[in-house]
Amino acid sequence: MIPTQVITISRHIMEQERKYPEASGEFSGLLSDITLAVKLIARDVRKAGLVNILGLTGSENVHGERVTKLDEYANRVLYDILGRTGHLCVLASEEAHSILTIPEGYPHGKYVFLFDPLDGSSNIDANATIGTIFSVQKRISAGGPGTLEDCLQQGSRQVCAGYIVYGSSTMFVYTTGHGVHGFTYDPTCGEFLLSHEDIKIPEKGKYYSVNEGNYHSWADDTKKYIDWLKETDKATGRPYGLRYIGSLVADVHRTLLYGGIFLYPGSVKKPEGKLRLLYEASPLAMVIEQAGGEATDGKTRILDIIPKDLHQRTPLIIGGKDEVGTAQRFLNT
Ligand code: FDP
């Protein structure tokens, strides 16, 4: 017997589209394509050690980081599937220098897809949680092949954003601007089933998440904030506990569910920080804001930043409303 409350991603998006008459319905097609690509990636993440797919390819990506085979595989799967379905006009990946055009002979659609195929890749060999992050924008160019300008849109214009965590289970979390919904993969029926409806981030939490090994490279205001989190004060729930996986998607997912704050601040020498605006900060900011939280670079709301470059980096401070508010007071003094 199939319980009536079992809701797959496809059914969920169709029901959402019925609620919002402005939706064209085309979007559900794109979302099921994303779901298919993700199932293939999840399958290979799960059997990585078995098929000898672990390890490095020997090449470096545009950021000078070593590229693992699984990164390449995830990148290819997403491009091969999504580039051919007619929903997209252009794609951009953290792993590629320039925009990715639609393969010859395939139609151009009205959406733009930006993605980090495998975030947290330095954790792959250790079997720790990794993920895929994606962002969908509507094209601004008139028609035909999409352009760089289509990709360089403000985060506040995203029509959908989400991520998939390949952890103790595989979970798909997305928003189309009407709340945040999480689906857990059930391998026995091959479907993502609604497990976390309308997720809300707690305004206050008890964890902070940051690579504190970088402490001595930070500006004084950042140091002061982290020092403050570690002081003892019952009334404000301090000291906070530290949790840091080093896999952004996993750290932000935990922050979404348990509350608290995640930071990847800039340093004195590298004020722009490490994380990428288009593939990491913007989509995660949309998810967290839709769950009632906030995301900032310390001064500007992440979703208000106008991207100038495909691989632009930004500091990221993201989490519950109260938490980010407090962090900002330290960072703006
Ligand atoms: P990774 O280098 O393993 O791909 O932006 C990539 C990222 O991981 C994030 O997922 C993660 O939060 C961050 O870098 C970790 O950086 P540090 O090792 O400097 O803490």
Side-chain angles (χ1 to χ4, degrees), residues 155-177:
S156 56
R157 296 173 63 100
Q158 291 172 106
V159 291
C160 176
Y163 61 80
I164 296 88
V165 273
Y166 311 104
S168 43
S169 61
T170 301
M171 209 176 148
F172 192 124
V173 176
Y174 86 98
T175 179
T176 54

Side-chain angles (χ1 to χ4, degrees), residues 61-135:
N61 69 8
V62 287
H63 311 286
E65 297 157 335
R66 295 185 305 167
V67 180
T68 66
K69 285 181 189 168
L70 215 45
D71 286 21
E72 269 185 4
Y73 174 75
N75 197 47
R76 208 175 51 233
V77 167
L78 282 159
Y79 175 70
D80 284 353
I81 291 185
L82 299 176
R84 289 173 162 80
T85 57
H87 298 302
L88 304 179
C89 62
V90 67
L91 298 86
S93 162
E94 193 196 283
E95 298 296 334
H97 279 279
S98 354
I99 56 171
L100 300 169
T101 51
I102 300 298
E104 196 65 40
Y106 288 90
H108 294 96
K110 64 179 181 195
Y111 294 109
V112 178
F113 190 76
L114 302 116
F115 62 106
D116 178 355
L118 217 54
D119 176 69
S121 45
S122 61
N123 278 311
I124 295 175
D125 288 356
N127 240 325
T129 299
I130 49 179
T132 298
I133 309 175
F134 66 91
S135 157

